[in-house]
Amino acid sequence: MKHSFWFAVLFCVIVSPSFAQGNAEAARNTRDTFSALNRIESFTPNDQFAVASPADPDLGEQLLLTRADRYRPFSVGAGYATTWTSNAFYTPDSPSSDVFMSAFANAIALPHLGGNFFFEGAANFTGYRYFRNPVLDFNSLATSAGILKVFREFADLGLYARYEYTLLFGRNGGELLQEHSLVTGLRKTFQFSRANALFLSAEADFVVGGEPGFALAHDFSLFAAHQVDWTRYIQTSVFYQMNVLAFLEGDRTDVRNSVGVSVGFKPLQWVNISASSWLGWNGSNQGEFDYFVGNIGGGITASVNF
């Protein structure tokens, strides 16, 4: 019994924070996702010239300039958020509420490689601190590198493949989890108007190495987010995410769902203040891993493109 108890505690310390991380980042990154995709999809190597016309020979040779923002392939950002959660340990019975604080810094590179190919590189560091349950405190370091192909003939559908490395470690530096994975997916933005857009993605994440084995899982996910800019300062986003996780050990399969909404206030071009709320629930073929959780929080982020 004592061995089983400490195994359960270890599992919560490793797996529960990683799910908190995934949900918090899904809520926080909706705007970042739209921003990055809009930069890529608005990129046209020859957009400084007017479109060719059959009447050009009658007018003589001309170069008509159009207004276009310079493509900025790099961005750096940082942010802080405070979130209340109804089920800090993600247990099916007797959930315990808590408040956790998170702070992050990231860097993203999306340089153009030629044609419709782009390099994607990213690095993100996030620290999580729990108010009532410091045993759940952890830090996350994630890096990735890969290639994105934009299919202009399919309305800027994006196909990507990348390598990802994730490291979770405790507040005092002890390693909790490391994971190497190969990721491939499709993503598409539907721009209904300048201020109204829908983003869809489907992704497969295959684990190729890491430890501990019981916390590693292949991850197949669907993600949808709808964003509306009501004014130049205020926007809302709603999102839904589903993950099917096939764990490498223990003959375990989970289906995780999360749905949320956020409201953002953008007083400056590079600053966003937001409040968000989301619900998460997990169904597993091993009932002890079923749970439901509710979250609400707010934070501030800043990012610069160059």
Side-chain angles (χ1 to χ4, degrees):
M1 179 66 68
K2 184 175 180 180
H3 175 77
S4 299
F5 170 77
W6 284 111
F7 178 85
V9 171
L10 179 62
F11 186 88
C12 287
V13 169
I14 296 176
V15 179
S16 297
S18 65
F19 184 48
Q21 175 191 15
N23 278 274
E25 289 184 351
R28 188 190 73 211
N29 286 345
T30 301
R31 177 177 177 80
D32 293 342
T33 298
F34 278 112
S35 176
L37 290 175
N38 287 339
R39 280 187 288 146
I40 288 177
E41 292 170 359
S42 64
F43 176 82
T44 305
N46 297 313
D47 60 3
Q48 70 269 31
F49 299 112
V51 177
S53 167
D56 283 351
D58 298 331
L59 300 174
E61 187 174 339
Q62 300 183 42
L63 294 180
L64 300 179
L65 299 180
T66 62
R67 291 187 61 183
D69 293 332
R70 179 175 60 86
Y71 178 63
R72 295 176 171 84
F74 305 101
S75 69
V76 293
Y80 173 84
T82 299
T83 303
W84 174 86
T85 180
S86 67
N87 191 351
F89 286 91
Y90 297 96
T91 57
D93 302 310
S94 304
S96 174
S97 64
D98 204 342
V99 173
F100 65 87
M101 291 70 70
S102 60
F104 79 93
N106 65 15
I108 302 171
L110 293 166
H112 180 232
L113 298 178
N116 291 320
F117 288 91
F118 296 80
F119 171 80
E120 285 191 304
N124 183 90
F125 175 83
T126 308
Y128 293 84
R129 299 294 182 266
Y130 285 73
F131 181 73
R132 293 176 53 192
N133 298 284
V135 66
L136 294 177
D137 292 353
F138 78 107
N139 303 302
S140 168
L141 175 64
T143 60
S144 63
I147 300 294
L148 167 70
K149 170 67 183 297
V150 178
F151 292 89
R152 302 294 189 185
E153 62 272 28
F154 297 114
D156 290 341
L157 175 71
L159 171 65
Y160 59 91
R162 63 175 178 261
Y163 162 79
E164 291 186 354
Y165 172 72
T166 302
L167 173 65
L168 304 184
F169 54 98
R171 185 171 187 172
N172 298 319
E175 182 178 297
L176 299 175
L177 176 145
Q178 62 166 309
E179 179 181 281
H180 303 267
S181 59
L182 298 177
V183 181
T184 185
L186 292 167
R187 61 196 189 198
K188 178 73 179 74
T189 300
F190 298 89
Q191 196 77 42
F192 304 119
S193 70
R194 186 179 181 87
N196 186 349
L198 172 69
F199 170 72
L200 300 175
S201 73
E203 183 175 284
D205 183 330
F206 299 97
V207 176
V208 294
E211 57 182 357
F214 68 83
L216 302 177
H218 302 310
D219 186 351
F220 307 93
S221 65
L222 297 174
F223 181 79
H226 181 227
Q227 179 176 293
V228 177
D229 294 334
W230 299 101
T231 72
R232 62 181 297 182
Y233 301 109
I234 298 174
Q235 65 182 200
T236 59
S237 300
V238 294
F239 74 88
Y240 168 76
Q241 181 169 306
M242 181 180 72
N243 298 77
V244 178
L245 296 103
F247 284 82
L248 273 60
E249 296 183 4
D251 191 28
R252 175 186 166 195
T253 301
D254 286 15
V255 178
R256 294 176 178 171
N257 295 271
S258 58
V259 60
V261 59
S262 67
V263 178
F265 171 63
K266 192 176 181 182
L268 300 171
Q269 182 66 27
W270 50 278
V271 174
N272 188 58
I273 301 170
S274 64
S276 59
S277 178
W278 66 97
L279 302 175
W281 61 98
N282 188 70
S284 176
N285 62 347
Q286 300 181 19
E288 64 267 31
F289 299 112
D290 294 344
Y291 58 78
F292 177 85
V293 61
N295 305 272
I296 186 169
I300 181 171
T301 63
S303 61
V304 178
N305 298 328
F306 58 93

